[in-house]
Each structure stands twice: as C-alpha cells, then as structure tokens.
Amino acid sequence: MDIAFWSSVRHQSGVTSGVAAISLLWAELFKDRITVTSNHICNGGLLERLRGGTEHREKFAKREYCYNFGEPEYFRMLYEKEKGCMVQLNGGMRYISMTGNEEVQMFSGSGLKGVKKQLGIGEYLMIDAACGYGNSSQKILQEAELTVIALPPEKNIVDAFFHSDTFLRQKSFFILGNYRSEASCYPSYLCHKYKIPKERVGMIPYDSAFEQAMEEGSTAAYIGGNINCSRRNGAYHFIHYTKKTAINLRNYVMERRNHVCGDCEKV
C-alpha cells in the first residue's frame, strides 16, 4: 500500500520527522515490511537522520538491533550478546535514497507504479513527499492509496488547508505535528469543525531530545530505546502519543484495505 506523507506548508509540520518516527514504530510494533523513500533532496536527508554515518548497529535498551537501509532485502537483526548469535526477526524496514534529479524525476514521470516496479516494493511504501504544490508531490498525492496530511497545530493554517484542499479529505489521515501545550489547534478541533473521525486524527508532540536525535542521526536508537519507557522517562509523552498515532494510522490502513471505512464518504 502507498502511504504519502505531505504538508501544505514547509518547515512547520514535521513531515520528515513524522515519517521517521512512524515508520520505525510501525516496523517495531507490527513487524510489517516497510520501504521508506522520498521525492526530494534536502540537507540532512532521511537516511542520515535515521541512523547517521555508515554504522548499521544501534543500541536499543539492553539489546542491539541492526536495520538494513538501502539494501535489496528487508530484514532486522537482533544481536544477543550473551548467546553470541543473531536472529532474523519478522518484518523490518528499508530506506531507498533518492539522491539525484534523475531519481527524483521518476515520481513525476512514471509515477508510483513505475517507482514501485523499479524498486521492487513489498508490503508498504511510505513516501516523504516534498511539502507544497510541486508537480512531483501532486502526482504522488493523486496516485497514493492513502495520504497522511501533517499540519502545524495552528488554527489559521488548518483552516486555510481545509478551505482550499477539500479533495484530499476522502482518503487522508491527519497529524498535528510539532504539537506543544500552547497550540491553538487541538485534535478535537479537526473532529468537531471539519467532521473528521477521531480515529483519523493523530498528533506528534514536539520533543527536543527527539529533534536532537534527528540532527545527530540517532533516530532509530532513540525510538527503539524508549519504545516501552515508563511514565517517569522524559521521552514518555512523545513516545506515548506518537505510538498512538502510528497504531491509529495502521488501523485506518487496515480498514481501507478491507473496504470497511464507513466514514470516508461523510467527510
């Protein structure tokens, strides 16, 4: 299934960080096979933010996971130090880098079907789509089976989006990114004013430690090391709500795949 992450505004909604957090949590929680890619080139690309440098091994709590980025096969390895062995687990994720104009233009030219055929996509394709209204992103939004709209938690920007991009409501899941306590727009605002079912609205709180992990290229380690953290942990608020968003998104994906989403026509 094709899932495009996109925002109508740049540098405010945390699209790239949202793709990183949700894809890692999804792979960890559900053991699904995920391919992550993007249609744009930026400083500090998604791959570097996920695991940085060339080292594949990240310490998650007392265990070490090895994620395979950019290789032909999906896998995630668990290294058990005390047994001196490694076990291949179900599911996992891979990242395919779009590093040149030729690759980026694939989305504008052959579209998602062509990209999937060329890259050999398996179960899920998550696309970090460039924010705004470029030709490549618009083509992705038109072809994707599901769009995840990331919006900053500000009423004026949210209202502007819903007044101009109504065609995206039918198949979209909504995330309020970089969410802070002083936000002017709450998830309930989307539900009540725009009649979006609460199961299709999520939030990703702003977390300075997560942002630092993104900058340092240790995002996989941060998510994995805190995925089951206690309430006393400083990462709990971020992990709790981001995990809830990932779970709700996957549930909505399952509904769409089974054609039982009764709310879509009402929005």
Side-chain angles (χ1 to χ4, degrees):
M1 187 172 195
D2 318 320
I3 307 173
F5 289 72
W6 175 85
S7 179
S8 59
V9 294
R10 298 178 187 274
H11 310 305
Q12 299 181 56
S13 309
V15 178
T16 297
S17 58
V19 175
I22 287 176
S23 62
L24 286 165
L25 283 166
W26 191 311
E28 178 70 16
L29 293 171
F30 306 113
K31 317 306 179 192
D32 291 329
R33 294 157 59 94
I34 298 172
T35 297
V36 182
T37 190
S38 64
N39 73 324
H40 60 104
I41 305 168
C42 61
N43 294 328
L46 187 54
L47 175 59
E48 289 72 24
R49 294 176 184 274
L50 284 170
R51 58 112 174 127
T54 58
E55 179 58 55
H56 289 260
R57 191 175 300 178
E58 300 282 2
K59 289 185 178 180
F60 289 359
K62 296 181 180 179
R63 301 177 297 176
E64 289 186 356
Y65 288 102
C66 178
Y67 281 89
N68 187 28
F69 293 96
E71 300 296 332
E73 300 297 329
Y74 300 78
F75 64 81
R76 187 183 54 175
M77 308 297 285
L78 170 61
Y79 288 79
E80 299 187 37
K81 288 184 176 180
E82 60 276 11
K83 295 182 180 179
C85 64
M86 51 188 188
V87 181
Q88 184 167 332
L89 305 179
N90 294 328
M93 62 178 291
R94 66 172 179 172
Y95 174 79
I96 295 180
S97 178
M98 291 290 176
T99 56
N101 289 329
E102 228 176 75
E103 287 83 358
V104 172
Q105 289 305 315
M106 282 200 304
F107 285 103
S108 297
S110 58
L112 287 180
K113 288 184 179 179
V115 170
K116 291 175 69 175
K117 183 177 180 180
Q118 182 163 337
L119 300 181
I121 305 303
E123 193 168 4
Y124 295 100
L125 171 62
M126 295 187 179
I127 309 160
D128 174 16
C131 299
Y133 298 88
N135 291 336
S136 177
S137 291
Q138 289 304 297
K139 190 172 183 65
I140 290 171
L141 295 180
Q142 291 169 6
E143 295 184 6
E145 296 171 79
L146 177 66
T147 302
V148 178
I149 307 295
L151 295 167
E154 300 173 20
K155 284 186 179 179
N156 60 326
I157 296 177
V158 169
D159 291 339
F161 167 80
F162 278 100
H163 291 153
S164 61
D165 292 289
T166 55
F167 79 97
L168 289 172
R169 295 194 204 179
Q170 293 292 335
K171 58 178 181 180
S172 295
F173 184 95
F174 298 89
I175 292 177
L176 294 176
N178 288 326
Y179 194 89
R180 293 174 169 85
S181 58
E182 65 271 18
S184 62
C185 181
Y186 305 97
S188 58
Y189 181 77
L190 295 183
C191 299
H192 295 151
K193 182 164 185 176
Y194 296 107
K195 304 298 185 289
I196 306 297
K198 64 180 181 179
E199 296 80 11
R200 286 170 53 190
V201 179
M203 58 179 280
I204 297 181
Y206 174 80
D207 179 58
S208 59
F210 173 68
E211 292 300 319
Q212 183 177 352
M214 287 282 289
E215 291 298 323
E216 295 175 350
S218 58
T219 308
Y222 183 77
I223 294 291
N226 292 296
I227 193 168
N228 293 314
C229 66
S230 69
R231 290 178 179 270
R232 297 187 299 273
N233 191 304
Y236 178 81
H237 181 73
F238 169 80
I239 291 293
H240 173 76
Y241 284 102
T242 306
K243 187 189 293 187
K244 183 178 179 181
T245 295
I247 292 170
N248 286 344
L249 174 58
R250 187 178 186 271
N251 288 342
Y252 182 52
V253 166
M254 294 298 102
E255 288 181 353
R256 288 190 60 82
R257 290 182 70 171
N258 296 325
H259 304 288
V260 296
C261 179
D263 293 318
C264 297
E265 299 301 323
K266 299 178 183 179
V267 178

